[in-house]
Amino acid sequence: MGNIKADGFKGEKAIVTPNVIRSMQTENPITRQLYVTHIGYYPNARYHYRERPDGAPENILIYCDKGTGWVEYKDEKIFLKENEVFILPANQKHVYGADIGNSWSIYWLHFQGENTAMFDSISGKVLRIPETANNRKSDRMQLFEEIYKNFEMGYSHENMEYITFCLMYLLASLKYMPQYQEPNRLGHNDVIQNCIHYMRDNLENKIALKDIADAVGYSTTHLNALFVQATSFSPIEYYNQLKIQRVCYYLQFSDLKIKEIAFKLGFYDPFHLSKAFFKEMEISPREYRNRYGRMNANSK
């Protein structure tokens, strides 16, 4: 069996949304305003470096949590340190990387949408979070985690819409720093969330609809109807989406072979995994690894 690659950043995490989900986001009147396509966290990212001569199709937000890094944009080299943010506009040439002696830890995300111009005023320049006791850094990080954790819970319309509003709030907290107020805490403790947690806990086991229904004390018929109403997907469709998301993680952050991933996640064989993966992501597992694998310059 393979192991997590030693040349990565210990504790790193990232999610890249499938093209079919991006299409869904552009068709939804809420999410098409602003939506996240990539998101992640790179701690102590020594030798981290990205160069894009033509920029990226999305805007890129980089939030320096610790350490130091730099951005080259419009022929200027700009240094970023702890509690500083930089938003690179879409389709603009740029280079960025970690400082060799004091490598940065960064939260980052890519975003698109019809209303990105609302935040043009904070793009292309350093945004400094005040070094004060009430700068609410932990609240912003919690907001980032809200986005990430909702992606982990799957691509339902409700999750995608909530992520859009979280993204708007995160960007607004940077644009309107003096007005930034206490966020609402939203807790989920209903049957749908319990189902999703059960699914996530059993991604490497073989479970059926009856197993999920038994876990929450519902009949399969009742649960199926309830789940479709809440998420627009059947429980098994949702479970399969989460399983493909886990496949993406292994392809991006491990050196497990495709057949090993198939065995680990309960697919019949590599062909079964590849067929399911292509249906969801519209590219093959091998192409995904080549495109988004840790050593690929376009992985984020």
Side-chain angles (χ1 to χ4, degrees), residues 10 15 36 46 77 110 122 129 138 172-173 178 209 247 294:
K10 185 177 180 180
I15 290 175
V36 176
R46 192 178 186 188
K77 189 168 186 177
H110 294 211
I122 57 172
I129 310 301
S138 62
S173 79
L209 177 58
V247 173
R294 181 183 289 118

Side-chain angles (χ1 to χ4, degrees), residues 22-37 57-59 90 111-120 164 167-168 171:
R22 297 184 201 181
S23 296
M24 183 178 82
Q25 290 169 309
T26 60
E27 294 166 2
N28 184 311
I30 293 176
T31 57
R32 71 188 181 197
Q33 299 176 65
L34 282 171
Y35 58 93
V36 176
T37 61
E58 312 89 14
N59 300 275
F111 66 95
Q112 291 179 304
E114 296 176 347
N115 292 337
T116 56
M118 292 191 300
F119 299 101
D120 282 351
T164 283
L167 173 61
M168 288 183 179
L171 293 173

